[in-house]
Amino acid sequence: MEVPPLRSSLTAGVLALVALIAGCWWSGRAPEPPPLVVAPVATRPEHITVHVSGAVRRPGLIEIVPEARVADAVAAAGGATPDADLSSLNLAGPVVDGARVVVPARGSTAARPAGGEGPIRVNQATAEELERIPGVGPVLAERIVAHREAHGPFSVVEDLLDVPGIGEGKLAAIRDDVAVP
C-alpha cells in the first residue's frame, strides 16, 4: 500500500513543525541559575577600648577606632603632659582591644615597677634597661626594641618568642625577669 505523496508530505511537515516547536521550547528555557550563597561578613567593632595611663592629661579607659595607633590612644587621652617621655614609646605601633598604653614621665623608671625591684616591662624599657635582664646582651636587647617598634607592644610574655634569638629555653630563663605590659 502506497501512501499518497500529499499525505506523506503533510505528515512530514507536521512532524517537522512539532520537532521545531519542541526544540524552540526546550532551548528557550533558561538554565537554572546556580544557588546563591551568601557568605557571612566578618564584622569589626566600631570602637575598641584601651587603657591609657601615665603622663597623659586624662588617663583612663578610652574608645578609639580599631585601626588606631599608640599616638591615637595618647591623643584620645587628652595628649601627653609636658613631662612625658614619648621617645620610649612606639607611637606608630598598633593598639588592640584591651591593651594598656603607659606613657612614662621623663626621668621615671617606667621600665620597672615602683620601688625599682621586680621584672622589667619590655614594652617600656630601653635597650640599656633590657640589658639588665640576666642573659640579655646588647644585641638581643636591640632586637627586642626593634621588634617592638616594628610590630607594636608585646601582648603576652610568649610574644617574645617572635624576637630572633629568643627560643623556648631563653624565654624560660628570662620569664621571671620580664613583665608584659
Side-chain angles (χ1 to χ4, degrees), residues 51-60 77 79-81 83-84 100-105:
H51 178 198
V52 182
S53 63
V56 292
R57 297 187 194 284
R58 291 188 312 269
T81 60
D83 65 329
R100 180 174 180 204
V101 176
V102 179
V103 179

PDB file of all heavy atoms in Angstrom, residues 51-60 77 79-81 83-84 100-105:
ATOM      1  N   HIS A  51      43.327  51.139  77.726  1.00  0.00           N
ATOM      2  CA  HIS A  51      43.647  51.805  78.992  1.00  0.00           C
ATOM      3  C   HIS A  51      44.922  52.625  78.781  1.00  0.00           C
ATOM      4  O   HIS A  51      45.970  52.073  78.497  1.00  0.00           O
ATOM      5  CB  HIS A  51      43.858  50.762  80.088  1.00  0.00           C
ATOM      6  CG  HIS A  51      44.234  51.351  81.409  1.00  0.00           C
ATOM      7  ND1 HIS A  51      44.799  50.609  82.400  1.00  0.00           N
ATOM      8  CD2 HIS A  51      44.111  52.605  81.914  1.00  0.00           C
ATOM      9  CE1 HIS A  51      45.016  51.368  83.453  1.00  0.00           C
ATOM     10  NE2 HIS A  51      44.614  52.592  83.171  1.00  0.00           N
ATOM     11  N   VAL A  52      44.802  53.934  78.919  1.00  0.00           N
ATOM     12  CA  VAL A  52      45.956  54.823  78.768  1.00  0.00           C
ATOM     13  C   VAL A  52      46.254  55.417  80.141  1.00  0.00           C
ATOM     14  O   VAL A  52      45.373  55.965  80.799  1.00  0.00           O
ATOM     15  CB  VAL A  52      45.684  55.945  77.747  1.00  0.00           C
ATOM     16  CG1 VAL A  52      46.917  56.828  77.582  1.00  0.00           C
ATOM     17  CG2 VAL A  52      45.279  55.357  76.403  1.00  0.00           C
ATOM     18  N   SER A  53      47.507  55.284  80.573  1.00  0.00           N
ATOM     19  CA  SER A  53      47.888  55.796  81.883  1.00  0.00           C
ATOM     20  C   SER A  53      49.246  56.461  81.800  1.00  0.00           C
ATOM     21  O   SER A  53      49.899  56.451  80.770  1.00  0.00           O
ATOM     22  CB  SER A  53      47.904  54.655  82.913  1.00  0.00           C
ATOM     23  OG  SER A  53      48.883  53.703  82.563  1.00  0.00           O
ATOM     24  N   GLY A  54      49.658  57.036  82.917  1.00  0.00           N
ATOM     25  CA  GLY A  54      50.958  57.692  82.971  1.00  0.00           C
ATOM     26  C   GLY A  54      50.839  59.171  82.687  1.00  0.00           C
ATOM     27  O   GLY A  54      49.880  59.838  83.098  1.00  0.00           O
ATOM     28  N   ALA A  55      51.807  59.702  81.956  1.00  0.00           N
ATOM     29  CA  ALA A  55      51.930  61.138  81.719  1.00  0.00           C
ATOM     30  C   ALA A  55      51.020  61.595  80.574  1.00  0.00           C
ATOM     31  O   ALA A  55      51.484  62.052  79.528  1.00  0.00           O
ATOM     32  CB  ALA A  55      53.384  61.492  81.446  1.00  0.00           C
ATOM     33  N   VAL A  56      49.709  61.473  80.771  1.00  0.00           N
ATOM     34  CA  VAL A  56      48.707  61.981  79.829  1.00  0.00           C
ATOM     35  C   VAL A  56      47.742  62.866  80.601  1.00  0.00           C
ATOM     36  O   VAL A  56      47.609  62.753  81.821  1.00  0.00           O
ATOM     37  CB  VAL A  56      47.941  60.846  79.104  1.00  0.00           C
ATOM     38  CG1 VAL A  56      48.848  60.087  78.152  1.00  0.00           C
ATOM     39  CG2 VAL A  56      47.285  59.902  80.083  1.00  0.00           C
ATOM     40  N   ARG A  57      47.045  63.732  79.893  1.00  0.00           N
ATOM     41  CA  ARG A  57      46.151  64.699  80.553  1.00  0.00           C
ATOM     42  C   ARG A  57      44.907  64.042  81.172  1.00  0.00           C
ATOM     43  O   ARG A  57      44.443  64.459  82.218  1.00  0.00           O
ATOM     44  CB  ARG A  57      45.739  65.770  79.564  1.00  0.00           C
ATOM     45  CG  ARG A  57      46.934  66.581  79.076  1.00  0.00           C
ATOM     46  CD  ARG A  57      46.501  67.766  78.228  1.00  0.00           C
ATOM     47  NE  ARG A  57      47.614  68.342  77.503  1.00  0.00           N
ATOM     48  CZ  ARG A  57      48.553  69.114  78.044  1.00  0.00           C
ATOM     49  NH1 ARG A  57      48.521  69.383  79.329  1.00  0.00           N
ATOM     50  NH2 ARG A  57      49.524  69.604  77.302  1.00  0.00           N
ATOM     51  N   ARG A  58      44.350  63.025  80.522  1.00  0.00           N
ATOM     52  CA  ARG A  58      43.148  62.347  81.046  1.00  0.00           C
ATOM     53  C   ARG A  58      43.358  60.834  81.018  1.00  0.00           C
ATOM     54  O   ARG A  58      42.836  60.138  80.146  1.00  0.00           O
ATOM     55  CB  ARG A  58      41.928  62.726  80.202  1.00  0.00           C
ATOM     56  CG  ARG A  58      41.486  64.180  80.352  1.00  0.00           C
ATOM     57  CD  ARG A  58      40.161  64.452  79.639  1.00  0.00           C
ATOM     58  NE  ARG A  58      40.089  63.960  78.275  1.00  0.00           N
ATOM     59  CZ  ARG A  58      40.428  64.661  77.188  1.00  0.00           C
ATOM     60  NH1 ARG A  58      40.863  65.897  77.310  1.00  0.00           N
ATOM     61  NH2 ARG A  58      40.323  64.130  75.992  1.00  0.00           N
ATOM     62  N   PRO A  59      44.103  60.296  81.982  1.00  0.00           N
ATOM     63  CA  PRO A  59      44.320  58.848  81.987  1.00  0.00           C
ATOM     64  C   PRO A  59      43.012  58.101  82.240  1.00  0.00           C
ATOM     65  O   PRO A  59      42.081  58.630  82.846  1.00  0.00           O
ATOM     66  CB  PRO A  59      45.309  58.639  83.137  1.00  0.00           C
ATOM     67  CG  PRO A  59      45.217  59.855  83.975  1.00  0.00           C
ATOM     68  CD  PRO A  59      44.732  60.968  83.103  1.00  0.00           C
ATOM     69  N   GLY A  60      42.951  56.901  81.745  1.00  0.00           N
ATOM     70  CA  GLY A  60      41.782  56.065  81.965  1.00  0.00           C
ATOM     71  C   GLY A  60      41.448  55.267  80.726  1.00  0.00           C
ATOM     72  O   GLY A  60      42.259  55.105  79.819  1.00  0.00           O
ATOM     73  N   ALA A  77      43.469  60.403  74.990  1.00  0.00           N
ATOM     74  CA  ALA A  77      43.560  60.588  76.439  1.00  0.00           C
ATOM     75  C   ALA A  77      43.941  62.025  76.776  1.00  0.00           C
ATOM     76  O   ALA A  77      44.449  62.303  77.857  1.00  0.00           O
ATOM     77  CB  ALA A  77      44.566  59.610  77.028  1.00  0.00           C
ATOM     78  N   GLY A  79      46.187  63.875  75.204  1.00  0.00           N
ATOM     79  CA  GLY A  79      47.551  64.210  74.810  1.00  0.00           C
ATOM     80  C   GLY A  79      48.528  64.012  75.964  1.00  0.00           C
ATOM     81  O   GLY A  79      48.135  63.812  77.112  1.00  0.00           O
ATOM     82  N   ALA A  80      49.784  64.049  75.614  1.00  0.00           N
ATOM     83  CA  ALA A  80      50.838  63.856  76.607  1.00  0.00           C
ATOM     84  C   ALA A  80      51.024  65.128  77.426  1.00  0.00           C
ATOM     85  O   ALA A  80      50.815  66.237  76.934  1.00  0.00           O
ATOM     86  CB  ALA A  80      52.142  63.486  75.911  1.00  0.00           C
ATOM     87  N   THR A  81      51.419  64.960  78.670  1.00  0.00           N
ATOM     88  CA  THR A  81      51.740  66.107  79.513  1.00  0.00           C
ATOM     89  C   THR A  81      53.127  66.617  79.128  1.00  0.00           C
ATOM     90  O   THR A  81      53.890  65.902  78.470  1.00  0.00           O
ATOM     91  CB  THR A  81      51.698  65.717  81.008  1.00  0.00           C
ATOM     92  OG1 THR A  81      52.661  64.689  81.238  1.00  0.00           O
ATOM     93  CG2 THR A  81      50.314  65.244  81.411  1.00  0.00           C
ATOM     94  N   ASP A  83      55.788  66.770  80.726  1.00  0.00           N
ATOM     95  CA  ASP A  83      56.909  65.967  81.232  1.00  0.00           C
ATOM     96  C   ASP A  83      56.927  64.539  80.680  1.00  0.00           C
ATOM     97  O   ASP A  83      57.720  63.720  81.118  1.00  0.00           O
ATOM     98  CB  ASP A  83      56.881  65.937  82.768  1.00  0.00           C
ATOM     99  CG  ASP A  83      55.663  65.223  83.321  1.00  0.00           C
ATOM    100  OD1 ASP A  83      54.603  65.259  82.668  1.00  0.00           O
ATOM    101  OD2 ASP A  83      55.785  64.624  84.409  1.00  0.00           O
ATOM    102  N   ALA A  84      56.083  64.258  79.699  1.00  0.00           N
ATOM    103  CA  ALA A  84      56.026  62.908  79.122  1.00  0.00           C
ATOM    104  C   ALA A  84      57.273  62.603  78.315  1.00  0.00           C
ATOM    105  O   ALA A  84      57.842  63.470  77.652  1.00  0.00           O
ATOM    106  CB  ALA A  84      54.794  62.771  78.235  1.00  0.00           C
ATOM    107  N   ARG A 100      46.968  48.158  77.108  1.00  0.00           N
ATOM    108  CA  ARG A 100      47.308  49.217  78.059  1.00  0.00           C
ATOM    109  C   ARG A 100      48.498  49.965  77.493  1.00  0.00           C
ATOM    110  O   ARG A 100      49.503  49.373  77.120  1.00  0.00           O
ATOM    111  CB  ARG A 100      47.653  48.623  79.418  1.00  0.00           C
ATOM    112  CG  ARG A 100      48.001  49.692  80.426  1.00  0.00           C
ATOM    113  CD  ARG A 100      48.194  49.099  81.796  1.00  0.00           C
ATOM    114  NE  ARG A 100      48.520  50.161  82.724  1.00  0.00           N
ATOM    115  CZ  ARG A 100      49.177  49.960  83.830  1.00  0.00           C
ATOM    116  NH1 ARG A 100      49.567  48.740  84.162  1.00  0.00           N
ATOM    117  NH2 ARG A 100      49.436  50.962  84.633  1.00  0.00           N
ATOM    118  N   VAL A 101      48.372  51.276  77.443  1.00  0.00           N
ATOM    119  CA  VAL A 101      49.459  52.142  76.982  1.00  0.00           C
ATOM    120  C   VAL A 101      49.900  52.977  78.176  1.00  0.00           C
ATOM    121  O   VAL A 101      49.096  53.719  78.742  1.00  0.00           O
ATOM    122  CB  VAL A 101      49.000  53.057  75.824  1.00  0.00           C
ATOM    123  CG1 VAL A 101      50.108  54.011  75.426  1.00  0.00           C
ATOM    124  CG2 VAL A 101      48.548  52.226  74.632  1.00  0.00           C
ATOM    125  N   VAL A 102      51.154  52.835  78.569  1.00  0.00           N
ATOM    126  CA  VAL A 102      51.704  53.600  79.685  1.00  0.00           C
ATOM    127  C   VAL A 102      52.670  54.628  79.111  1.00  0.00           C
ATOM    128  O   VAL A 102      53.651  54.277  78.465  1.00  0.00           O
ATOM    129  CB  VAL A 102      52.438  52.695  80.696  1.00  0.00           C
ATOM    130  CG1 VAL A 102      53.021  53.522  81.833  1.00  0.00           C
ATOM    131  CG2 VAL A 102      51.506  51.623  81.222  1.00  0.00           C
ATOM    132  N   VAL A 103      52.375  55.908  79.347  1.00  0.00           N
ATOM    133  CA  VAL A 103      53.242  56.983  78.875  1.00  0.00           C
ATOM    134  C   VAL A 103      54.112  57.400  80.054  1.00  0.00           C
ATOM    135  O   VAL A 103      53.625  58.007  81.016  1.00  0.00           O
ATOM    136  CB  VAL A 103      52.416  58.183  78.355  1.00  0.00           C
ATOM    137  CG1 VAL A 103      53.342  59.288  77.888  1.00  0.00           C
ATOM    138  CG2 VAL A 103      51.485  57.743  77.235  1.00  0.00           C
ATOM    139  N   PRO A 104      55.407  57.079  80.016  1.00  0.00           N
ATOM    140  CA  PRO A 104      56.273  57.407  81.150  1.00  0.00           C
ATOM    141  C   PRO A 104      56.628  58.897  81.168  1.00  0.00           C
ATOM    142  O   PRO A 104      56.622  59.570  80.137  1.00  0.00           O
ATOM    143  CB  PRO A 104      57.514  56.553  80.895  1.00  0.00           C
ATOM    144  CG  PRO A 104      57.544  56.371  79.420  1.00  0.00           C
ATOM    145  CD  PRO A 104      56.109  56.355  78.966  1.00  0.00           C
ATOM    146  N   ALA A 105      56.931  59.380  82.354  1.00  0.00           N
ATOM    147  CA  ALA A 105      57.415  60.751  82.501  1.00  0.00           C
ATOM    148  C   ALA A 105      58.930  60.732  82.352  1.00  0.00           C
ATOM    149  O   ALA A 105      59.583  59.715  82.619  1.00  0.00           O
ATOM    150  CB  ALA A 105      57.010  61.303  83.864  1.00  0.00           C
TER     151      ALA A 105
END
